[in-house]
Amino acid sequence: MKKIYVVLMLLAVLFISSQVRAQQTFDSGTGRAQNVFVELYGQGLLFSANYDTRFSNKRDGIGGRVGIGYFAVDGNNLTTIPIGLNYLLGKGRNFFEVGLGATYLSAKLSGDDFFKSDNSDVTGSEIIGTMSFSYRLQPINSGFALRAGFSPIFGNGFFIPYFPNFSLGYTFSGKHK
């Protein structure tokens, strides 16, 4: 468990430090694209709220995302924290996203859960690997954004190649005067 927190803290520090070092000049006057969005399925597994940004002052290229998700039903709950790197290929409003990341999972399953054969309570956490292959519609300056595609997930002994993702959000450009 201690290793999980160390890895998450290291990823968060790297993410924040890359933001601090980002240049203050902008490419073509449009600035660095930043997104806030909610995602169904995808790297957050069920539902997550996320922030995504480019690491340079361009609309395409390498960037990162971080989010948090929570889902609870009948005494069972699941918390997810997706963190990842992605690369955008494209121009204008249309991009293809390729990404790689990790999602921290923390779950509590009650004794009468359908997925367990005994009546004991289970609490645990795990980190799984995630990928992203998605179409992204992102406005030039700011406005409505959409993502859809596949987010393969993998872990200890499993691989789900066609796990879908769909997100709606808002893009803003970070222009400065």
Side-chain angles (χ1 to χ4, degrees), residues 71-84:
F71 186 77
V73 173
D74 297 331
N76 299 310
N77 64 56
L78 173 68
T79 302
T80 61
I81 302 173
I83 298 173

Side-chain angles (χ1 to χ4, degrees), residues 9-11 15 43 45-46 58-59 66 78 81 90 109 119 126 129-130 132 160 171:
M9 291 300 286
L10 179 62
L11 287 172
F15 182 76
Q43 293 173 308
L45 298 188
L46 294 175
K58 299 188 322 183
R59 298 182 34 74
V66 63
L78 173 68
I81 302 173
L109 304 175
N119 282 334
E126 182 177 354
T130 61
S132 177
I160 303 173
T171 297

Side-chain angles (χ1 to χ4, degrees), residues 56-70:
S56 67
N57 291 316
K58 299 188 322 183
R59 298 182 34 74
D60 59 356
I62 193 161
R65 68 174 277 171
V66 63
I68 188 159
Y70 182 78

Side-chain angles (χ1 to χ4, degrees), residues 85-158:
L85 296 174
N86 54 49
Y87 192 87
L88 296 183
L89 301 155
K91 298 273 186 221
R93 302 178 336 146
N94 300 295
F95 296 92
F96 179 69
E97 175 184 318
V98 178
L100 184 64
T103 299
Y104 169 76
L105 309 169
S106 177
K108 179 185 177 289
L109 304 175
S110 64
D112 59 351
D113 188 78
F114 174 77
F115 298 105
K116 297 185 320 178
S117 59
D118 60 4
N119 282 334
S120 63
D121 288 347
V122 173
T123 301
S125 60
E126 182 177 354
I127 294 179
I128 64 167
T130 61
M131 294 182 272
S132 177
F133 302 98
S134 303
Y135 166 75
R136 184 186 289 201
L137 175 65
Q138 179 173 281
I140 302 292
N141 290 316
S142 62
F144 167 79
L146 173 131
R147 288 173 62 246
F150 292 100
S151 291
I153 58 175
F154 55 93
N156 190 14
F158 75 92

Side-chain angles (χ1 to χ4, degrees), residues 40-56:
L40 294 175
Y41 300 111
Q43 293 173 308
L45 298 188
L46 294 175
F47 173 82
S48 61
N50 300 269
Y51 170 76
D52 177 280
T53 187
R54 301 300 90 210
F55 292 152
S56 67

